[in-house]
Amino acid sequence: MPGTRSEPVRVLIVDDEPGLTELLSVAVTEAGWRPYPVADGQSALRVARARAPHAVVLDGMLPDLDGIQVLRRLRYENPRLPVLMLTARDALEHRIDGLASGADDYVTKPFSLEEVVLRLRGLLRRSGAEDARSRSGSGSDGSVRVLGDLVLAEETREVHRDGSQVQLTAKEFDLLSLLLSHPRQVLSKTQILDHVWSSCFDGGGNLVEVYISSLRRKIDKGRTPMIHTVRGVGYAIRPPEEGR
Protein backbone atom coordinates (compact mmCIF):
# COMPACT_ATOMS: atom_id res chain seq x y z
CA MET A 1 0.00 0.00 0.00
CA PRO A 2 1.14 3.60 -0.57
CA GLY A 3 2.75 5.10 2.47
CA THR A 4 4.60 2.05 3.77
CA ARG A 5 8.05 3.08 4.90
CA SER A 6 9.90 0.15 3.36
CA GLU A 7 8.88 1.07 -0.19
CA PRO A 8 10.39 3.88 -2.29
CA VAL A 9 8.27 6.78 -3.43
CA ARG A 10 6.63 5.90 -6.76
CA VAL A 11 6.38 8.64 -9.39
CA LEU A 12 4.27 8.15 -12.51
CA ILE A 13 5.72 10.10 -15.46
CA VAL A 14 3.35 10.74 -18.36
CA ASP A 15 4.83 12.30 -21.51
CA ASP A 16 4.97 11.27 -25.16
CA GLU A 17 8.48 12.68 -25.75
CA PRO A 18 10.86 9.71 -25.19
CA GLY A 19 13.91 11.91 -24.59
CA LEU A 20 12.17 14.02 -21.98
CA THR A 21 10.64 10.97 -20.30
CA GLU A 22 14.09 9.41 -20.01
CA LEU A 23 15.57 12.57 -18.50
CA LEU A 24 12.72 12.86 -16.00
CA SER A 25 13.14 9.18 -15.08
CA VAL A 26 16.84 9.73 -14.41
CA ALA A 27 16.10 12.82 -12.27
CA VAL A 28 13.45 10.94 -10.29
CA THR A 29 15.82 7.99 -9.74
CA GLU A 30 18.61 10.29 -8.56
CA ALA A 31 16.18 11.84 -6.09
CA GLY A 32 15.78 8.38 -4.55
CA TRP A 33 12.34 7.65 -6.01
CA ARG A 34 11.12 5.00 -8.44
CA PRO A 35 9.90 6.24 -11.85
CA TYR A 36 7.11 4.65 -13.87
CA PRO A 37 7.26 6.28 -17.32
CA VAL A 38 4.41 5.98 -19.83
CA ALA A 39 3.72 7.74 -23.15
CA ASP A 40 -0.07 8.14 -23.25
CA GLY A 41 -3.14 8.74 -21.13
CA GLN A 42 -4.64 5.26 -21.21
CA SER A 43 -1.35 3.75 -20.08
CA ALA A 44 -1.15 6.34 -17.33
CA LEU A 45 -4.54 5.31 -15.97
CA ARG A 46 -3.66 1.60 -16.09
CA VAL A 47 -0.33 2.10 -14.32
CA ALA A 48 -1.91 4.40 -11.73
CA ARG A 49 -4.39 1.67 -10.82
CA ALA A 50 -1.74 -1.06 -10.78
CA ARG A 51 1.12 0.77 -9.05
CA ALA A 52 -0.65 3.34 -6.84
CA PRO A 53 1.92 6.11 -7.37
CA HIS A 54 2.61 8.68 -4.69
CA ALA A 55 2.89 11.50 -7.26
CA VAL A 56 2.36 12.10 -10.98
CA VAL A 57 4.23 14.23 -13.51
CA LEU A 58 1.65 14.77 -16.27
CA ASP A 59 2.09 16.38 -19.68
CA GLY A 60 -0.85 18.54 -20.69
CA MET A 61 -0.83 17.33 -24.30
CA LEU A 62 -0.94 13.57 -24.97
CA PRO A 63 -1.54 11.57 -28.17
CA ASP A 64 -4.77 9.91 -27.02
CA LEU A 65 -6.47 11.61 -24.08
CA ASP A 66 -6.07 15.26 -23.24
CA GLY A 67 -3.96 15.79 -20.14
CA ILE A 68 -6.90 17.45 -18.38
CA GLN A 69 -9.02 14.33 -19.03
CA VAL A 70 -6.32 12.13 -17.51
CA LEU A 71 -5.99 14.50 -14.57
CA ARG A 72 -9.72 14.43 -13.85
CA ARG A 73 -9.82 10.63 -13.96
CA LEU A 74 -6.79 10.35 -11.68
CA ARG A 75 -8.33 12.86 -9.29
CA TYR A 76 -11.66 11.01 -9.32
CA GLU A 77 -9.96 7.75 -8.32
CA ASN A 78 -7.54 9.30 -5.82
CA PRO A 79 -8.46 12.83 -4.66
CA ARG A 80 -5.22 13.20 -2.66
CA LEU A 81 -2.76 12.13 -5.37
CA PRO A 82 -0.26 14.99 -5.95
CA VAL A 83 -0.10 15.96 -9.64
CA LEU A 84 2.52 18.21 -11.24
CA MET A 85 1.50 19.28 -14.75
CA LEU A 86 3.89 19.99 -17.60
CA THR A 87 2.68 22.44 -20.22
CA ALA A 88 4.16 23.94 -23.38
CA ARG A 89 1.42 26.54 -23.47
CA ASP A 90 1.62 29.97 -21.89
CA ALA A 91 -2.14 30.58 -22.04
CA LEU A 92 -3.51 31.60 -18.66
CA GLU A 93 -6.75 29.72 -19.35
CA HIS A 94 -4.92 26.41 -19.83
CA ARG A 95 -3.03 26.75 -16.58
CA ILE A 96 -6.19 27.66 -14.67
CA ASP A 97 -8.02 24.71 -16.25
CA GLY A 98 -5.28 22.34 -15.09
CA LEU A 99 -5.09 23.67 -11.57
CA ALA A 100 -8.87 23.92 -11.25
CA SER A 101 -9.17 20.28 -12.39
CA GLY A 102 -7.00 19.12 -9.52
CA ALA A 103 -3.36 19.70 -10.48
CA ASP A 104 -1.33 20.81 -7.47
CA ASP A 105 1.36 22.68 -9.37
CA TYR A 106 2.67 23.17 -12.91
CA VAL A 107 5.89 23.90 -14.78
CA THR A 108 6.07 25.39 -18.27
CA LYS A 109 8.35 23.87 -20.90
CA PRO A 110 11.25 24.35 -21.24
CA PHE A 111 12.12 23.73 -17.60
CA SER A 112 15.06 22.51 -15.56
CA LEU A 113 15.04 19.01 -14.09
CA GLU A 114 16.08 20.51 -10.77
CA GLU A 115 12.91 22.60 -10.74
CA VAL A 116 10.74 19.55 -11.41
CA VAL A 117 12.39 17.61 -8.58
CA LEU A 118 12.02 20.53 -6.17
CA ARG A 119 8.35 20.95 -7.04
CA LEU A 120 7.76 17.20 -6.67
CA ARG A 121 9.56 17.11 -3.34
CA GLY A 122 7.36 19.92 -2.04
CA LEU A 123 4.20 18.12 -3.17
CA LEU A 124 5.35 14.83 -1.65
CA ARG A 125 6.12 16.49 1.66
CA ARG A 126 2.74 18.20 1.77
CA SER A 127 1.00 14.92 0.97
CA GLY A 128 3.05 13.14 3.64
CA ALA A 129 4.44 10.52 1.23
CA GLU A 130 8.11 11.40 1.60
CA ASP A 131 7.93 12.42 5.26
CA ALA A 132 6.51 9.00 6.12
CA ARG A 133 9.78 7.47 4.88
CA SER A 134 12.05 9.86 6.76
CA ARG A 135 10.37 9.80 10.17
CA SER A 136 11.87 7.61 12.86
CA GLY A 137 8.51 6.47 14.22
CA SER A 138 8.22 8.93 17.08
CA GLY A 139 4.51 8.16 17.55
CA SER A 140 3.49 11.81 17.35
CA ASP A 141 -0.14 12.39 16.39
CA GLY A 142 0.70 15.70 14.71
CA SER A 143 -1.31 18.87 14.77
CA VAL A 144 -5.09 18.74 14.86
CA ARG A 145 -7.13 21.89 14.21
CA VAL A 146 -10.72 22.12 15.37
CA LEU A 147 -13.24 24.87 14.63
CA GLY A 148 -16.84 24.14 15.50
CA ASP A 149 -17.70 20.77 13.96
CA LEU A 150 -14.76 20.93 11.51
CA VAL A 151 -11.65 18.87 12.32
CA LEU A 152 -8.42 18.87 10.30
CA ALA A 153 -5.54 16.48 11.12
CA GLU A 154 -2.20 17.57 9.66
CA GLU A 155 -0.47 14.23 10.27
CA THR A 156 -2.99 12.10 8.40
CA ARG A 157 -4.25 14.93 6.16
CA GLU A 158 -7.82 13.97 6.98
CA VAL A 159 -10.75 16.37 7.32
CA HIS A 160 -14.08 15.70 9.02
CA ARG A 161 -17.14 17.88 9.39
CA ASP A 162 -19.99 16.92 11.67
CA GLY A 163 -18.42 13.47 11.96
CA SER A 164 -18.30 12.83 8.19
CA GLN A 165 -15.01 12.61 6.30
CA VAL A 166 -14.46 15.20 3.57
CA GLN A 167 -12.25 14.23 0.63
CA LEU A 168 -9.96 17.09 -0.43
CA THR A 169 -7.20 17.45 -2.99
CA ALA A 170 -3.72 18.33 -1.72
CA LYS A 171 -4.14 22.02 -2.52
CA GLU A 172 -7.64 22.17 -1.09
CA PHE A 173 -6.27 20.68 2.13
CA ASP A 174 -3.44 23.26 2.21
CA LEU A 175 -5.92 26.09 1.65
CA LEU A 176 -8.24 24.87 4.41
CA SER A 177 -5.27 24.38 6.74
CA LEU A 178 -4.22 28.00 6.12
CA LEU A 179 -7.71 29.31 6.84
CA LEU A 180 -7.96 27.24 10.02
CA SER A 181 -4.57 28.57 11.13
CA HIS A 182 -6.18 32.03 11.17
CA PRO A 183 -9.79 31.53 12.36
CA ARG A 184 -12.04 34.58 11.86
CA GLN A 185 -9.13 36.46 10.27
CA VAL A 186 -9.71 37.78 6.76
CA LEU A 187 -6.95 36.62 4.39
CA SER A 188 -6.42 38.38 1.07
CA LYS A 189 -5.99 36.53 -2.22
CA THR A 190 -2.34 37.59 -2.24
CA GLN A 191 -1.76 36.15 1.24
CA ILE A 192 -3.42 32.89 0.20
CA LEU A 193 -1.34 32.62 -2.98
CA ASP A 194 1.89 33.31 -1.08
CA HIS A 195 1.19 30.58 1.48
CA VAL A 196 -0.54 27.87 -0.54
CA TRP A 197 1.11 28.09 -3.95
CA SER A 198 4.90 28.00 -3.88
CA SER A 199 5.28 29.42 -7.41
CA CYS A 200 4.25 32.77 -8.82
CA PHE A 201 1.07 32.56 -10.86
CA ASP A 202 -0.29 35.36 -13.04
CA GLY A 203 -4.03 35.67 -12.62
CA GLY A 204 -3.83 33.91 -9.29
CA GLY A 205 -6.87 35.77 -7.98
CA ASN A 206 -9.05 33.68 -10.28
CA LEU A 207 -7.33 30.53 -9.05
CA VAL A 208 -8.06 31.37 -5.42
CA GLU A 209 -11.72 31.95 -6.30
CA VAL A 210 -11.89 28.54 -7.99
CA TYR A 211 -10.43 26.75 -4.96
CA ILE A 212 -12.56 28.67 -2.45
CA SER A 213 -15.63 27.69 -4.47
CA SER A 214 -14.54 24.05 -4.49
CA LEU A 215 -13.91 24.08 -0.74
CA ARG A 216 -17.35 25.53 -0.13
CA ARG A 217 -18.98 22.75 -2.11
CA LYS A 218 -17.19 20.15 -0.02
CA ILE A 219 -17.17 21.80 3.42
CA ASP A 220 -20.34 23.90 3.49
CA LYS A 221 -22.81 22.17 1.14
CA GLY A 222 -25.96 21.27 3.04
CA ARG A 223 -24.51 22.71 6.25
CA THR A 224 -24.21 26.07 7.99
CA PRO A 225 -21.55 28.01 6.01
CA MET A 226 -18.11 28.40 7.57
CA ILE A 227 -16.14 29.92 4.66
CA HIS A 228 -17.07 33.56 4.10
CA THR A 229 -16.21 36.20 1.52
CA VAL A 230 -15.45 39.70 2.72
CA ARG A 231 -16.04 41.63 -0.48
CA GLY A 232 -13.04 43.56 -1.66
CA VAL A 233 -10.82 42.16 1.11
CA GLY A 234 -10.59 38.37 1.05
CA TYR A 235 -11.84 35.23 2.80
CA ALA A 236 -12.31 34.05 6.37
CA ILE A 237 -13.40 30.86 8.13
CA ARG A 238 -15.68 31.09 11.16
CA PRO A 239 -17.43 28.59 13.44
CA PRO A 240 -20.85 27.46 12.18
CA GLU A 241 -22.71 29.36 14.90
CA GLU A 242 -21.22 32.61 13.57
CA GLY A 243 -22.35 31.85 10.03
CA ARG A 244 -26.05 31.71 10.79
Side-chain angles (χ1 to χ4, degrees):
M1 293 179 59
T4 55
R5 299 180 185 179
S6 60
E7 299 179 356
V9 168
R10 298 182 292 277
V11 179
L12 175 60
I13 301 171
V14 191
D15 198 295
D16 62 339
E17 298 179 40
L20 180 56
T21 301
E22 182 177 354
L23 288 173
L24 287 169
S25 295
V26 170
V28 163
T29 301
E30 289 181 348
W33 308 323
R34 178 176 295 170
Y36 289 90
V38 297
D40 59 75
Q42 293 290 358
S43 298
L45 296 173
R46 285 196 299 271
V47 172
R49 295 183 187 111
R51 299 297 182 182
H54 299 95
V56 179
V57 179
L58 175 63
D59 188 21
M61 300 179 68
L62 298 170
D64 53 352
L65 300 175
D66 182 85
I68 300 298
Q69 290 179 294
V70 177
L71 172 60
R72 286 173 177 160
R73 293 190 191 183
L74 289 171
R75 191 56 82 216
Y76 176 78
E77 295 183 8
N78 185 352
R80 300 180 184 178
L81 178 63
V83 178
L84 173 67
M85 287 210 69
L86 310 177
T87 176
R89 308 180 204 176
D90 293 327
L92 174 62
E93 293 80 7
H94 184 258
R95 285 178 280 164
I96 288 180
D97 284 346
L99 290 165
S101 296
D104 300 289
D105 205 348
Y106 76 94
V107 291
T108 303
K109 297 178 181 178
F111 50 77
S112 70
L113 294 174
E114 290 81 1
E115 180 184 11
V116 172
V117 170
L118 284 173
R119 298 284 185 88
L120 274 176
R121 195 178 299 280
L123 294 178
L124 287 165
R125 283 175 177 165
R126 285 195 288 274
S127 72
E130 191 170 42
D131 287 346
R133 286 150 183 77
S134 60
R135 288 193 298 266
S136 60
S138 61
S140 172
D141 290 332
S143 175
V144 176
R145 295 191 175 96
V146 180
L147 186 66
D149 59 356
L150 182 63
V151 180
L152 179 147
E154 291 282 359
E155 181 74 9
T156 60
R157 294 185 72 85
E158 291 182 348
V159 174
H160 290 80
R161 180 153 189 205
D162 194 25
S164 299
Q165 186 166 1
V166 181
Q167 296 290 341
L168 300 181
T169 69
K171 283 297 181 185
E172 288 169 349
F173 182 93
D174 292 342
L175 173 55
L176 182 60
S177 178
L178 174 65
L179 292 171
L180 285 173
S181 298
H182 303 82
R184 300 182 178 85
Q185 179 180 335
V186 180
L187 300 178
S188 69
K189 292 179 180 178
T190 300
Q191 288 175 307
I192 292 172
L193 281 168
D194 287 345
H195 285 83
V196 177
W197 281 270
S198 57
S199 57
C200 295
F201 185 81
D202 297 330
N206 293 333
L207 179 63
V208 173
E209 291 174 6
V210 168
Y211 271 80
I212 287 289
S213 178
S214 179
L215 262 187
R216 280 181 170 139
R217 287 195 299 270
K218 296 181 178 182
I219 297 295
D220 288 343
K221 186 175 181 179
R223 305 180 177 99
T224 303
M226 295 184 66
I227 301 172
H228 302 270
T229 300
V230 180
R231 193 171 299 278
V233 183
Y235 303 95
I237 191 166
R238 300 175 186 137
E241 59 269 21
E242 296 182 18
R244 298 182 186 278

